Amino acid sequence: IVMCASAGLYWLAPQWIVGLYIDVSAAENREVVRIAIVFLMIAAVFQIFDGLQVSASFCLRGLKDTTAAMLLCLISYWGIGAVAGYVLCYVFDLGGKGLWIGMTLGLAAASVLLSLRFQWKVRRMA
């Protein structure tokens, strides 16, 4: 719920958040405001997947399934997130935006893989 609330705030009121730090009406800040709003949109999606992967990871920890969770996170963060971030940042020339999208993809992969692992473990226990 907390992650959804913060994601909703980032998504629905990015200009207000940026306005807490800089004058959004100043002409010299237009480019900074534009870039910050894009990053907050990415951060909104990041928040959702981060909340899901943390919850799934803790659920697996409660089942004492830590090794598999660690390996799934390793694959997700480095194999998917870092590689995607590098490719989007440098190959597709998206810069920092591409890096953050890649990191978000890594978290998305972790949230899916960890949730599937938890579901599989619970079904085996029944």
Side-chain angles (χ1 to χ4, degrees), residues 35-72:
I35 292 169
I37 287 173
V38 169
F39 276 98
L40 282 170
M41 297 296 179
I42 297 168
V45 178
F46 185 98
Q47 287 286 95
I48 300 296
F49 287 121
D50 190 39
L52 290 171
Q53 67 90 24
V54 165
S55 298
S57 178
F58 284 157
C59 289
L60 288 171
R61 197 176 295 174
L63 295 177
K64 297 183 179 11
D65 189 21
T66 56
T67 303
M70 178 194 67
L71 293 173
L72 292 173

PDB file of all heavy atoms in Angstrom, residues 35-72:
ATOM      1  N   ILE A  35      13.109  16.852 -17.363  1.00  0.00           N
ATOM      2  CA  ILE A  35      13.878  15.632 -17.096  1.00  0.00           C
ATOM      3  C   ILE A  35      13.448  14.999 -15.774  1.00  0.00           C
ATOM      4  O   ILE A  35      13.272  13.779 -15.681  1.00  0.00           O
ATOM      5  CB  ILE A  35      15.392  15.951 -17.094  1.00  0.00           C
ATOM      6  CG1 ILE A  35      15.839  16.324 -18.512  1.00  0.00           C
ATOM      7  CG2 ILE A  35      16.196  14.774 -16.565  1.00  0.00           C
ATOM      8  CD1 ILE A  35      17.236  16.917 -18.585  1.00  0.00           C
ATOM      9  N   ALA A  36      13.264  15.820 -14.753  1.00  0.00           N
ATOM     10  CA  ALA A  36      12.865  15.302 -13.439  1.00  0.00           C
ATOM     11  C   ALA A  36      11.513  14.602 -13.503  1.00  0.00           C
ATOM     12  O   ALA A  36      11.305  13.562 -12.868  1.00  0.00           O
ATOM     13  CB  ALA A  36      12.841  16.437 -12.423  1.00  0.00           C
ATOM     14  N   ILE A  37      10.592  15.147 -14.274  1.00  0.00           N
ATOM     15  CA  ILE A  37       9.267  14.533 -14.396  1.00  0.00           C
ATOM     16  C   ILE A  37       9.373  13.162 -15.068  1.00  0.00           C
ATOM     17  O   ILE A  37       8.736  12.195 -14.631  1.00  0.00           O
ATOM     18  CB  ILE A  37       8.295  15.470 -15.140  1.00  0.00           C
ATOM     19  CG1 ILE A  37       7.920  16.640 -14.222  1.00  0.00           C
ATOM     20  CG2 ILE A  37       7.051  14.733 -15.615  1.00  0.00           C
ATOM     21  CD1 ILE A  37       7.112  17.734 -14.878  1.00  0.00           C
ATOM     22  N   VAL A  38      10.214  13.058 -16.088  1.00  0.00           N
ATOM     23  CA  VAL A  38      10.425  11.755 -16.747  1.00  0.00           C
ATOM     24  C   VAL A  38      10.982  10.746 -15.744  1.00  0.00           C
ATOM     25  O   VAL A  38      10.510   9.607 -15.667  1.00  0.00           O
ATOM     26  CB  VAL A  38      11.363  11.907 -17.965  1.00  0.00           C
ATOM     27  CG1 VAL A  38      11.805  10.547 -18.480  1.00  0.00           C
ATOM     28  CG2 VAL A  38      10.687  12.699 -19.068  1.00  0.00           C
ATOM     29  N   PHE A  39      11.969  11.156 -14.962  1.00  0.00           N
ATOM     30  CA  PHE A  39      12.562  10.253 -13.978  1.00  0.00           C
ATOM     31  C   PHE A  39      11.561   9.865 -12.886  1.00  0.00           C
ATOM     32  O   PHE A  39      11.580   8.730 -12.395  1.00  0.00           O
ATOM     33  CB  PHE A  39      13.821  10.857 -13.367  1.00  0.00           C
ATOM     34  CG  PHE A  39      15.048  10.640 -14.206  1.00  0.00           C
ATOM     35  CD1 PHE A  39      15.505  11.634 -15.044  1.00  0.00           C
ATOM     36  CD2 PHE A  39      15.734   9.444 -14.169  1.00  0.00           C
ATOM     37  CE1 PHE A  39      16.631  11.444 -15.825  1.00  0.00           C
ATOM     38  CE2 PHE A  39      16.856   9.233 -14.939  1.00  0.00           C
ATOM     39  CZ  PHE A  39      17.316  10.237 -15.775  1.00  0.00           C
ATOM     40  N   LEU A  40      10.693  10.779 -12.505  1.00  0.00           N
ATOM     41  CA  LEU A  40       9.679  10.436 -11.504  1.00  0.00           C
ATOM     42  C   LEU A  40       8.660   9.444 -12.050  1.00  0.00           C
ATOM     43  O   LEU A  40       8.156   8.598 -11.303  1.00  0.00           O
ATOM     44  CB  LEU A  40       8.990  11.701 -10.979  1.00  0.00           C
ATOM     45  CG  LEU A  40       9.803  12.482  -9.952  1.00  0.00           C
ATOM     46  CD1 LEU A  40       9.158  13.831  -9.679  1.00  0.00           C
ATOM     47  CD2 LEU A  40       9.953  11.692  -8.666  1.00  0.00           C
ATOM     48  N   MET A  41       8.353   9.515 -13.333  1.00  0.00           N
ATOM     49  CA  MET A  41       7.452   8.527 -13.943  1.00  0.00           C
ATOM     50  C   MET A  41       8.085   7.133 -13.894  1.00  0.00           C
ATOM     51  O   MET A  41       7.418   6.143 -13.573  1.00  0.00           O
ATOM     52  CB  MET A  41       7.138   8.907 -15.389  1.00  0.00           C
ATOM     53  CG  MET A  41       6.398  10.200 -15.544  1.00  0.00           C
ATOM     54  SD  MET A  41       4.787  10.091 -14.785  1.00  0.00           S
ATOM     55  CE  MET A  41       4.165  11.708 -15.084  1.00  0.00           C
ATOM     56  N   ILE A  42       9.370   7.075 -14.207  1.00  0.00           N
ATOM     57  CA  ILE A  42      10.084   5.790 -14.131  1.00  0.00           C
ATOM     58  C   ILE A  42      10.132   5.325 -12.682  1.00  0.00           C
ATOM     59  O   ILE A  42       9.914   4.139 -12.389  1.00  0.00           O
ATOM     60  CB  ILE A  42      11.503   5.920 -14.726  1.00  0.00           C
ATOM     61  CG1 ILE A  42      11.433   6.260 -16.215  1.00  0.00           C
ATOM     62  CG2 ILE A  42      12.296   4.625 -14.506  1.00  0.00           C
ATOM     63  CD1 ILE A  42      12.748   6.679 -16.826  1.00  0.00           C
ATOM     64  N   ALA A  43      10.388   6.251 -11.755  1.00  0.00           N
ATOM     65  CA  ALA A  43      10.456   5.905 -10.335  1.00  0.00           C
ATOM     66  C   ALA A  43       9.123   5.374  -9.812  1.00  0.00           C
ATOM     67  O   ALA A  43       9.097   4.518  -8.921  1.00  0.00           O
ATOM     68  CB  ALA A  43      10.892   7.125  -9.520  1.00  0.00           C
ATOM     69  N   ALA A  44       8.023   5.840 -10.366  1.00  0.00           N
ATOM     70  CA  ALA A  44       6.710   5.346  -9.951  1.00  0.00           C
ATOM     71  C   ALA A  44       6.583   3.856 -10.256  1.00  0.00           C
ATOM     72  O   ALA A  44       6.144   3.073  -9.406  1.00  0.00           O
ATOM     73  CB  ALA A  44       5.604   6.129 -10.657  1.00  0.00           C
ATOM     74  N   VAL A  45       6.974   3.459 -11.449  1.00  0.00           N
ATOM     75  CA  VAL A  45       6.927   2.040 -11.829  1.00  0.00           C
ATOM     76  C   VAL A  45       7.935   1.248 -10.996  1.00  0.00           C
ATOM     77  O   VAL A  45       7.651   0.148 -10.517  1.00  0.00           O
ATOM     78  CB  VAL A  45       7.187   1.876 -13.346  1.00  0.00           C
ATOM     79  CG1 VAL A  45       7.192   0.422 -13.746  1.00  0.00           C
ATOM     80  CG2 VAL A  45       6.157   2.660 -14.153  1.00  0.00           C
ATOM     81  N   PHE A  46       9.117   1.821 -10.798  1.00  0.00           N
ATOM     82  CA  PHE A  46      10.176   1.219  -9.984  1.00  0.00           C
ATOM     83  C   PHE A  46       9.644   0.895  -8.588  1.00  0.00           C
ATOM     84  O   PHE A  46       9.895  -0.186  -8.056  1.00  0.00           O
ATOM     85  CB  PHE A  46      11.337   2.213  -9.914  1.00  0.00           C
ATOM     86  CG  PHE A  46      12.566   1.725  -9.224  1.00  0.00           C
ATOM     87  CD1 PHE A  46      13.627   1.227  -9.953  1.00  0.00           C
ATOM     88  CD2 PHE A  46      12.697   1.810  -7.843  1.00  0.00           C
ATOM     89  CE1 PHE A  46      14.787   0.798  -9.323  1.00  0.00           C
ATOM     90  CE2 PHE A  46      13.845   1.390  -7.205  1.00  0.00           C
ATOM     91  CZ  PHE A  46      14.896   0.877  -7.945  1.00  0.00           C
ATOM     92  N   GLN A  47       8.900   1.838  -7.997  1.00  0.00           N
ATOM     93  CA  GLN A  47       8.357   1.663  -6.648  1.00  0.00           C
ATOM     94  C   GLN A  47       7.465   0.426  -6.546  1.00  0.00           C
ATOM     95  O   GLN A  47       7.547  -0.321  -5.583  1.00  0.00           O
ATOM     96  CB  GLN A  47       7.547   2.895  -6.236  1.00  0.00           C
ATOM     97  CG  GLN A  47       8.357   4.098  -5.916  1.00  0.00           C
ATOM     98  CD  GLN A  47       9.047   3.969  -4.586  1.00  0.00           C
ATOM     99  OE1 GLN A  47      10.197   3.556  -4.539  1.00  0.00           O
ATOM    100  NE2 GLN A  47       8.376   4.313  -3.524  1.00  0.00           N
ATOM    101  N   ILE A  48       6.606   0.247  -7.532  1.00  0.00           N
ATOM    102  CA  ILE A  48       5.681  -0.892  -7.511  1.00  0.00           C
ATOM    103  C   ILE A  48       6.450  -2.203  -7.524  1.00  0.00           C
ATOM    104  O   ILE A  48       6.224  -3.082  -6.696  1.00  0.00           O
ATOM    105  CB  ILE A  48       4.703  -0.826  -8.711  1.00  0.00           C
ATOM    106  CG1 ILE A  48       3.865   0.453  -8.677  1.00  0.00           C
ATOM    107  CG2 ILE A  48       3.838  -2.078  -8.775  1.00  0.00           C
ATOM    108  CD1 ILE A  48       2.943   0.584  -7.507  1.00  0.00           C
ATOM    109  N   PHE A  49       7.375  -2.333  -8.473  1.00  0.00           N
ATOM    110  CA  PHE A  49       8.130  -3.576  -8.576  1.00  0.00           C
ATOM    111  C   PHE A  49       9.062  -3.787  -7.390  1.00  0.00           C
ATOM    112  O   PHE A  49       9.281  -4.916  -6.968  1.00  0.00           O
ATOM    113  CB  PHE A  49       8.898  -3.644  -9.901  1.00  0.00           C
ATOM    114  CG  PHE A  49       8.013  -3.884 -11.080  1.00  0.00           C
ATOM    115  CD1 PHE A  49       7.972  -2.975 -12.125  1.00  0.00           C
ATOM    116  CD2 PHE A  49       7.204  -5.013 -11.157  1.00  0.00           C
ATOM    117  CE1 PHE A  49       7.151  -3.191 -13.219  1.00  0.00           C
ATOM    118  CE2 PHE A  49       6.381  -5.235 -12.239  1.00  0.00           C
ATOM    119  CZ  PHE A  49       6.357  -4.320 -13.276  1.00  0.00           C
ATOM    120  N   ASP A  50       9.594  -2.710  -6.838  1.00  0.00           N
ATOM    121  CA  ASP A  50      10.453  -2.837  -5.670  1.00  0.00           C
ATOM    122  C   ASP A  50       9.659  -3.371  -4.483  1.00  0.00           C
ATOM    123  O   ASP A  50      10.113  -4.259  -3.768  1.00  0.00           O
ATOM    124  CB  ASP A  50      11.096  -1.500  -5.333  1.00  0.00           C
ATOM    125  CG  ASP A  50      12.174  -1.630  -4.275  1.00  0.00           C
ATOM    126  OD1 ASP A  50      12.933  -2.623  -4.302  1.00  0.00           O
ATOM    127  OD2 ASP A  50      12.280  -0.728  -3.420  1.00  0.00           O
ATOM    128  N   GLY A  51       8.461  -2.851  -4.289  1.00  0.00           N
ATOM    129  CA  GLY A  51       7.619  -3.344  -3.207  1.00  0.00           C
ATOM    130  C   GLY A  51       7.263  -4.813  -3.370  1.00  0.00           C
ATOM    131  O   GLY A  51       7.280  -5.581  -2.409  1.00  0.00           O
ATOM    132  N   LEU A  52       6.962  -5.207  -4.599  1.00  0.00           N
ATOM    133  CA  LEU A  52       6.614  -6.609  -4.860  1.00  0.00           C
ATOM    134  C   LEU A  52       7.799  -7.535  -4.615  1.00  0.00           C
ATOM    135  O   LEU A  52       7.657  -8.596  -3.984  1.00  0.00           O
ATOM    136  CB  LEU A  52       6.112  -6.770  -6.298  1.00  0.00           C
ATOM    137  CG  LEU A  52       4.760  -6.161  -6.615  1.00  0.00           C
ATOM    138  CD1 LEU A  52       4.493  -6.197  -8.116  1.00  0.00           C
ATOM    139  CD2 LEU A  52       3.661  -6.897  -5.859  1.00  0.00           C
ATOM    140  N   GLN A  53       8.990  -7.147  -5.091  1.00  0.00           N
ATOM    141  CA  GLN A  53      10.128  -8.046  -4.945  1.00  0.00           C
ATOM    142  C   GLN A  53      10.593  -8.126  -3.497  1.00  0.00           C
ATOM    143  O   GLN A  53      10.997  -9.187  -3.042  1.00  0.00           O
ATOM    144  CB  GLN A  53      11.261  -7.672  -5.900  1.00  0.00           C
ATOM    145  CG  GLN A  53      11.962  -6.370  -5.665  1.00  0.00           C
ATOM    146  CD  GLN A  53      13.149  -6.459  -4.736  1.00  0.00           C
ATOM    147  OE1 GLN A  53      13.746  -7.503  -4.589  1.00  0.00           O
ATOM    148  NE2 GLN A  53      13.471  -5.357  -4.102  1.00  0.00           N
ATOM    149  N   VAL A  54      10.501  -7.041  -2.760  1.00  0.00           N
ATOM    150  CA  VAL A  54      10.876  -7.083  -1.347  1.00  0.00           C
ATOM    151  C   VAL A  54       9.912  -7.980  -0.573  1.00  0.00           C
ATOM    152  O   VAL A  54      10.334  -8.809   0.240  1.00  0.00           O
ATOM    153  CB  VAL A  54      10.911  -5.662  -0.735  1.00  0.00           C
ATOM    154  CG1 VAL A  54      10.946  -5.707   0.777  1.00  0.00           C
ATOM    155  CG2 VAL A  54      12.101  -4.891  -1.266  1.00  0.00           C
ATOM    156  N   SER A  55       8.624  -7.847  -0.850  1.00  0.00           N
ATOM    157  CA  SER A  55       7.627  -8.680  -0.161  1.00  0.00           C
ATOM    158  C   SER A  55       7.826 -10.159  -0.481  1.00  0.00           C
ATOM    159  O   SER A  55       7.812 -11.007   0.421  1.00  0.00           O
ATOM    160  CB  SER A  55       6.210  -8.250  -0.562  1.00  0.00           C
ATOM    161  OG  SER A  55       5.978  -6.926  -0.175  1.00  0.00           O
ATOM    162  N   ALA A  56       8.023 -10.472  -1.745  1.00  0.00           N
ATOM    163  CA  ALA A  56       8.235 -11.871  -2.141  1.00  0.00           C
ATOM    164  C   ALA A  56       9.519 -12.413  -1.537  1.00  0.00           C
ATOM    165  O   ALA A  56       9.570 -13.565  -1.086  1.00  0.00           O
ATOM    166  CB  ALA A  56       8.260 -11.985  -3.657  1.00  0.00           C
ATOM    167  N   SER A  57      10.550 -11.596  -1.499  1.00  0.00           N
ATOM    168  CA  SER A  57      11.828 -12.019  -0.912  1.00  0.00           C
ATOM    169  C   SER A  57      11.671 -12.324   0.581  1.00  0.00           C
ATOM    170  O   SER A  57      12.193 -13.325   1.076  1.00  0.00           O
ATOM    171  CB  SER A  57      12.871 -10.913  -1.122  1.00  0.00           C
ATOM    172  OG  SER A  57      14.092 -11.263  -0.545  1.00  0.00           O
ATOM    173  N   PHE A  58      10.951 -11.466   1.301  1.00  0.00           N
ATOM    174  CA  PHE A  58      10.725 -11.707   2.723  1.00  0.00           C
ATOM    175  C   PHE A  58       9.868 -12.948   2.950  1.00  0.00           C
ATOM    176  O   PHE A  58      10.070 -13.685   3.914  1.00  0.00           O
ATOM    177  CB  PHE A  58      10.104 -10.487   3.393  1.00  0.00           C
ATOM    178  CG  PHE A  58      11.076  -9.370   3.651  1.00  0.00           C
ATOM    179  CD1 PHE A  58      10.623  -8.085   3.798  1.00  0.00           C
ATOM    180  CD2 PHE A  58      12.439  -9.599   3.741  1.00  0.00           C
ATOM    181  CE1 PHE A  58      11.500  -7.033   4.040  1.00  0.00           C
ATOM    182  CE2 PHE A  58      13.337  -8.567   3.975  1.00  0.00           C
ATOM    183  CZ  PHE A  58      12.859  -7.279   4.138  1.00  0.00           C
ATOM    184  N   CYS A  59       8.908 -13.180   2.071  1.00  0.00           N
ATOM    185  CA  CYS A  59       8.086 -14.391   2.185  1.00  0.00           C
ATOM    186  C   CYS A  59       8.956 -15.635   2.020  1.00  0.00           C
ATOM    187  O   CYS A  59       8.815 -16.606   2.768  1.00  0.00           O
ATOM    188  CB  CYS A  59       6.968 -14.383   1.149  1.00  0.00           C
ATOM    189  SG  CYS A  59       5.670 -13.181   1.491  1.00  0.00           S
ATOM    190  N   LEU A  60       9.848 -15.608   1.066  1.00  0.00           N
ATOM    191  CA  LEU A  60      10.760 -16.739   0.871  1.00  0.00           C
ATOM    192  C   LEU A  60      11.712 -16.890   2.055  1.00  0.00           C
ATOM    193  O   LEU A  60      12.039 -18.006   2.460  1.00  0.00           O
ATOM    194  CB  LEU A  60      11.544 -16.582  -0.430  1.00  0.00           C
ATOM    195  CG  LEU A  60      10.738 -16.805  -1.699  1.00  0.00           C
ATOM    196  CD1 LEU A  60      11.543 -16.406  -2.922  1.00  0.00           C
ATOM    197  CD2 LEU A  60      10.294 -18.260  -1.808  1.00  0.00           C
ATOM    198  N   ARG A  61      12.137 -15.769   2.599  1.00  0.00           N
ATOM    199  CA  ARG A  61      13.007 -15.812   3.779  1.00  0.00           C
ATOM    200  C   ARG A  61      12.277 -16.481   4.942  1.00  0.00           C
ATOM    201  O   ARG A  61      12.869 -17.258   5.689  1.00  0.00           O
ATOM    202  CB  ARG A  61      13.425 -14.399   4.161  1.00  0.00           C
ATOM    203  CG  ARG A  61      14.596 -14.342   5.071  1.00  0.00           C
ATOM    204  CD  ARG A  61      15.038 -12.932   5.340  1.00  0.00           C
ATOM    205  NE  ARG A  61      15.532 -12.305   4.116  1.00  0.00           N
ATOM    206  CZ  ARG A  61      15.871 -11.044   4.038  1.00  0.00           C
ATOM    207  NH1 ARG A  61      15.752 -10.246   5.085  1.00  0.00           N
ATOM    208  NH2 ARG A  61      16.324 -10.530   2.909  1.00  0.00           N
ATOM    209  N   GLY A  62      10.982 -16.196   5.056  1.00  0.00           N
ATOM    210  CA  GLY A  62      10.187 -16.836   6.103  1.00  0.00           C
ATOM    211  C   GLY A  62      10.073 -18.344   5.917  1.00  0.00           C
ATOM    212  O   GLY A  62       9.929 -19.087   6.884  1.00  0.00           O
ATOM    213  N   LEU A  63      10.166 -18.791   4.681  1.00  0.00           N
ATOM    214  CA  LEU A  63      10.152 -20.231   4.393  1.00  0.00           C
ATOM    215  C   LEU A  63      11.549 -20.840   4.415  1.00  0.00           C
ATOM    216  O   LEU A  63      11.736 -21.988   4.056  1.00  0.00           O
ATOM    217  CB  LEU A  63       9.511 -20.485   3.013  1.00  0.00           C
ATOM    218  CG  LEU A  63       8.042 -20.124   2.869  1.00  0.00           C
ATOM    219  CD1 LEU A  63       7.579 -20.363   1.438  1.00  0.00           C
ATOM    220  CD2 LEU A  63       7.187 -20.911   3.848  1.00  0.00           C
ATOM    221  N   LYS A  64      12.536 -20.032   4.806  1.00  0.00           N
ATOM    222  CA  LYS A  64      13.938 -20.438   4.852  1.00  0.00           C
ATOM    223  C   LYS A  64      14.469 -20.844   3.475  1.00  0.00           C
ATOM    224  O   LYS A  64      15.290 -21.746   3.348  1.00  0.00           O
ATOM    225  CB  LYS A  64      14.149 -21.545   5.879  1.00  0.00           C
ATOM    226  CG  LYS A  64      13.846 -21.120   7.295  1.00  0.00           C
ATOM    227  CD  LYS A  64      14.134 -22.222   8.258  1.00  0.00           C
ATOM    228  CE  LYS A  64      13.903 -21.940   9.688  1.00  0.00           C
ATOM    229  NZ  LYS A  64      13.280 -20.878  10.233  1.00  0.00           N
ATOM    230  N   ASP A  65      13.987 -20.164   2.460  1.00  0.00           N
ATOM    231  CA  ASP A  65      14.415 -20.404   1.075  1.00  0.00           C
ATOM    232  C   ASP A  65      15.265 -19.216   0.620  1.00  0.00           C
ATOM    233  O   ASP A  65      14.894 -18.466  -0.272  1.00  0.00           O
ATOM    234  CB  ASP A  65      13.187 -20.588   0.169  1.00  0.00           C
ATOM    235  CG  ASP A  65      13.567 -21.051  -1.220  1.00  0.00           C
ATOM    236  OD1 ASP A  65      14.668 -21.603  -1.399  1.00  0.00           O
ATOM    237  OD2 ASP A  65      12.751 -20.851  -2.140  1.00  0.00           O
ATOM    238  N   THR A  66      16.410 -19.046   1.259  1.00  0.00           N
ATOM    239  CA  THR A  66      17.221 -17.860   1.007  1.00  0.00           C
ATOM    240  C   THR A  66      18.193 -18.022  -0.162  1.00  0.00           C
ATOM    241  O   THR A  66      18.476 -17.053  -0.855  1.00  0.00           O
ATOM    242  CB  THR A  66      18.002 -17.466   2.266  1.00  0.00           C
ATOM    243  OG1 THR A  66      18.784 -18.581   2.701  1.00  0.00           O
ATOM    244  CG2 THR A  66      17.046 -17.042   3.367  1.00  0.00           C
ATOM    245  N   THR A  67      18.697 -19.213  -0.370  1.00  0.00           N
ATOM    246  CA  THR A  67      19.669 -19.409  -1.445  1.00  0.00           C
ATOM    247  C   THR A  67      19.034 -19.189  -2.809  1.00  0.00           C
ATOM    248  O   THR A  67      19.585 -18.486  -3.656  1.00  0.00           O
ATOM    249  CB  THR A  67      20.296 -20.817  -1.371  1.00  0.00           C
ATOM    250  OG1 THR A  67      20.890 -20.981  -0.075  1.00  0.00           O
ATOM    251  CG2 THR A  67      21.353 -21.003  -2.437  1.00  0.00           C
ATOM    252  N   ALA A  68      17.866 -19.762  -3.029  1.00  0.00           N
ATOM    253  CA  ALA A  68      17.170 -19.585  -4.309  1.00  0.00           C
ATOM    254  C   ALA A  68      16.806 -18.116  -4.513  1.00  0.00           C
ATOM    255  O   ALA A  68      16.959 -17.583  -5.617  1.00  0.00           O
ATOM    256  CB  ALA A  68      15.921 -20.453  -4.370  1.00  0.00           C
ATOM    257  N   ALA A  69      16.357 -17.444  -3.448  1.00  0.00           N
ATOM    258  CA  ALA A  69      15.998 -16.034  -3.546  1.00  0.00           C
ATOM    259  C   ALA A  69      17.214 -15.201  -3.929  1.00  0.00           C
ATOM    260  O   ALA A  69      17.134 -14.312  -4.779  1.00  0.00           O
ATOM    261  CB  ALA A  69      15.407 -15.549  -2.227  1.00  0.00           C
ATOM    262  N   MET A  70      18.363 -15.520  -3.317  1.00  0.00           N
ATOM    263  CA  MET A  70      19.583 -14.794  -3.644  1.00  0.00           C
ATOM    264  C   MET A  70      19.969 -14.995  -5.110  1.00  0.00           C
ATOM    265  O   MET A  70      20.322 -14.034  -5.806  1.00  0.00           O
ATOM    266  CB  MET A  70      20.735 -15.246  -2.757  1.00  0.00           C
ATOM    267  CG  MET A  70      22.044 -14.557  -3.068  1.00  0.00           C
ATOM    268  SD  MET A  70      23.474 -15.348  -2.324  1.00  0.00           S
ATOM    269  CE  MET A  70      23.525 -16.905  -3.196  1.00  0.00           C
ATOM    270  N   LEU A  71      19.885 -16.214  -5.591  1.00  0.00           N
ATOM    271  CA  LEU A  71      20.241 -16.497  -6.982  1.00  0.00           C
ATOM    272  C   LEU A  71      19.274 -15.826  -7.960  1.00  0.00           C
ATOM    273  O   LEU A  71      19.702 -15.295  -8.990  1.00  0.00           O
ATOM    274  CB  LEU A  71      20.291 -18.003  -7.220  1.00  0.00           C
ATOM    275  CG  LEU A  71      21.423 -18.737  -6.485  1.00  0.00           C
ATOM    276  CD1 LEU A  71      21.280 -20.244  -6.658  1.00  0.00           C
ATOM    277  CD2 LEU A  71      22.782 -18.252  -6.942  1.00  0.00           C
ATOM    278  N   LEU A  72      17.992 -15.850  -7.642  1.00  0.00           N
ATOM    279  CA  LEU A  72      17.009 -15.186  -8.501  1.00  0.00           C
ATOM    280  C   LEU A  72      17.246 -13.672  -8.540  1.00  0.00           C
ATOM    281  O   LEU A  72      17.129 -13.045  -9.597  1.00  0.00           O
ATOM    282  CB  LEU A  72      15.588 -15.497  -8.041  1.00  0.00           C
ATOM    283  CG  LEU A  72      15.136 -16.949  -8.229  1.00  0.00           C
ATOM    284  CD1 LEU A  72      13.778 -17.178  -7.575  1.00  0.00           C
ATOM    285  CD2 LEU A  72      15.114 -17.329  -9.690  1.00  0.00           C
TER     286      LEU A  72
END
